[in-house]
Amino acid sequence: MEATSANLSSRDRMRPFRYLWRIPLVLLHIVFAILICTFVLSWSNGVMKNGREPFAHRAIRLWSVLLLRIFGFRSRRFGTPLPDPVLFVANHTSWLDITLMHSQRAACFVAKAEIAGWPLVGWMASRGGTIFHRRGSNHSLASVMAVMVERLHEGRSVAVFPEGGTGHNGVLRVFHARIFQAALDAEVPVQPVALRFARQGRRVIDAGFRENETFMGNVIRLLGEAPLDVEVHFLESVPVSADGRRRMAEASRERIALALDTDTPA
């Protein structure tokens, strides 16, 4: 089941008041992020040992959970993430997707190269271990794949969005199979992750990017939204097959699609 927030927004008299307290909290939270990036993150030591999270990972999870709470989102986890190292593959509808994932499990993300040039955000992403990819460039993708394998060999987990971009209106796009080669080369498992916005257990598709909506436009809109649940579903891992990257991609997409379309307990 799916729902949108358009009708709710038109009748929501609390929207102006949410801006009054959420905007100052966001600004304070940015300062918190700078402190974490400057004094806490040390990805050379950011590797799980005996299943225990390093302090840097816990700091990232705390920051992510608090950011979601500022926006009125309650983070909920379903299923169990595999221990590091693992390749997480997730659907992509919002700039918040990385925060959703980090609220439950820290990982190195693959993101578009343009983010590296964004003021403050690019620096924070770099400090967090983000691997930047220039879309449409085979040379860039080859370099990204090499870095992914290196990170996985170091014992870190890597998270990717195989759709290659953000989807709109709840549509789950085709998964690109080539990115799954990194798991084969590093000999690590692949775990699909469904990222889902919901209200009273029903999926809300309007929380992600609307078509032609800008990043700042989405941020401003979400700052005024009524509370939502944000769900992170860690699904059953897909069989790893050296001659079946396409099958791995299709199986991951099918499991995520099923989780997105299934109502959850409120």
Side-chain angles (χ1 to χ4, degrees):
M1 299 292 290
E2 296 176 351
T4 68
S5 61
N7 293 334
L8 288 174
S9 297
S10 64
R11 303 190 302 267
D12 189 356
R13 297 180 180 178
M14 288 298 296
R15 175 175 289 270
F17 299 99
R18 294 192 190 102
Y19 288 120
L20 290 177
W21 66 271
R22 286 180 179 174
I23 291 176
L25 287 178
V26 167
L27 297 177
L28 287 174
H29 204 59
I30 291 174
V31 175
F32 183 27
I34 294 173
L35 293 176
I36 289 177
C37 290
T38 303
F39 300 110
V40 176
L41 291 188
S42 176
W43 283 92
S44 60
N45 297 318
V47 178
M48 277 189 173
K49 293 183 179 179
N50 299 320
R52 298 183 62 183
E53 285 184 304
F55 179 67
H57 287 198
R58 295 196 299 272
I60 290 172
R61 285 202 298 109
L62 173 62
W63 186 89
S64 300
V65 169
L66 290 177
L67 179 64
L68 293 172
R69 293 299 295 173
I70 290 172
F71 275 81
F73 299 149
R74 179 179 66 157
S75 180
R76 304 178 65 194
R77 185 176 79 184
F78 297 84
T80 303
L82 296 176
D84 290 339
V86 57
L87 179 66
F88 294 112
V89 294
N91 57 299
H92 194 22
T93 61
S94 169
W95 62 273
L96 277 172
D97 291 340
I98 292 177
T99 306
L100 265 63
M101 182 72 183
H102 274 165
S103 72
Q104 302 298 330
R105 182 63 174 275
C108 301
F109 272 83
V110 176
K112 62 182 181 180
E114 291 82 354
I115 292 177
W118 292 1
L120 184 60
V121 175
W123 174 72
M124 289 168 55
S126 298
R127 290 289 295 169
T130 299
I131 305 167
F132 295 107
H133 167 50
R134 190 169 301 281
R135 293 175 183 172
S137 170
N138 288 330
H139 175 72
S140 173
L141 181 58
S143 299
V144 166
M145 296 280 285
V147 176
M148 288 173 61
V149 173
E150 179 183 346
R151 297 278 176 86
L152 292 167
H153 279 157
E154 291 172 353
R156 308 180 193 178
S157 288
V158 175
V160 298
F161 300 116
E163 294 171 272
T166 53
H168 303 289
N169 301 319
V171 175
L172 187 63
R173 299 160 64 181
V174 173
F175 281 15
H176 297 288
R178 185 176 176 184
I179 202 75
F180 289 79
Q181 186 63 44
L184 296 173
D185 293 344
E187 299 181 332
V188 301
V190 174
Q191 184 170 30
V193 183
L195 305 176
R196 188 176 186 267
F197 296 87
R199 181 177 283 114
Q200 296 181 343
R202 297 182 59 192
R203 185 184 180 194
V204 175
I205 64 173
D206 200 41
F209 281 114
R210 295 172 178 172
E211 289 194 53
N212 302 318
E213 185 177 44
T214 64
F215 168 74
M216 283 307 301
N218 183 264
V219 170
I220 293 171
R221 178 167 62 86
L222 293 184
L223 275 172
E225 288 291 320
L228 283 174
D229 287 332
V230 288
E231 303 174 352
V232 184
H233 295 255
F234 291 95
L235 308 173
E236 181 183 357
S237 60
V238 299
V240 176
S241 172
D243 59 351
R245 293 185 311 188
R246 172 52 55 191
R247 288 196 295 273
M248 293 166 62
E250 291 173 349
S252 297
R253 186 182 182 279
E254 289 171 1
R255 292 178 188 182
I256 290 173
L258 180 61
L260 291 178
D261 292 336
T262 301
D263 286 353
T264 55

